[in-house]
Amino acid sequence: MDINNHSEVENNTSEKSQPKSQHSRSKRIVVAFIAVIFALGAIAGGAYIIMSGTEAFDDNAITYSPWVDLGEHYDLSKIKLLEEDVYHFNSYDISQGRIPFTAYRSSDETFEATVLGTGVWIRSYPKLKNRTKRCQVKSGDQLTVLRRSDYMDGKNWYYVRVTSGRRAGTEGYISADYVIEQRAYDLLQRFVFDGASNVNIKSPTSYLRALATVLVRLVGDKTNANLSVQLLDTTIYERHTIVSFQVRDLSLATNSSLLVFVQFLDDSDDFTVIGIVPGNDINTVQHNPNCSFDIYYY
């Protein structure tokens, strides 16, 4: 009788220990599973850090999206990020091997254009002399450019016929400084002259022509563009003048601002857009002995 009772006790003990063993095994599986999850998280985090370190500019702040891609003119991989959100590029490095972005000249022998600027003269001869003044035309008056003239008196010249305004029908020479295509003039009228810009019709015509050239490229077919254009800074280095503008698309939530850097020469009416980059404001511009420029911006 005692033996049977003892056997029953042993059997009861054995049956009670079985669930405890299963519980312990389940606990070990859960712990192991959590450990695997942490390990995978650590590996993923490490991979992210490594990728972040090797791909410093893999974000939207250093791309043209959603703007027009200007990769044929500028290599954004040459932009360096410094501390405190200051970016840097060299004007030669960013454009090396790219197509220069310069003053636009129509290749047609005859083309339609518009007067840009104030106090503009039609002249009897392509020289800046009082005796060559024929009549004045206004900004917005339309022209037909009949032919080009030689570079004279520090200017490029066109021979034109005035087709609108008080001087319609008059022919003569006009400095190319004051001539742009109608589409470019329309964009200046919309985003600069009629907007809240600190640039206006009395600003240097070279600035306006450069802005018009850039706007034609940036706007493209975006007829619903809502742009703000601001002059930021003008820096003079002997014969070189570097002018910076901000062009902001007010309809964009991210990457809404581009900085435009233009180089002018004192003895020429031409210009070169040495950089268009995503950014908000200029920091400094430094002139190098090799005639390139180091540009720091935010």
Side-chain angles (χ1 to χ4, degrees), residues 60 63-68 218 222 224-228 247-258 278-280:
N60 197 46
T63 68
Y64 284 120
S65 178
W67 296 84
V68 173
L218 292 181
K222 292 174 59 178
N224 62 338
N226 183 19
L227 304 184
S228 168
V247 180
R248 182 181 296 277
D249 190 332
L250 301 177
S251 63
L252 299 179
T254 60
N255 209 23
S256 61
S257 177
L258 293 180
N280 291 291

Side-chain angles (χ1 to χ4, degrees), residues 47-58:
Y48 176 79
I49 292 172
I50 292 172
M51 291 178 66
S52 298
T54 57
E55 193 66 33
F57 305 124
D58 188 22

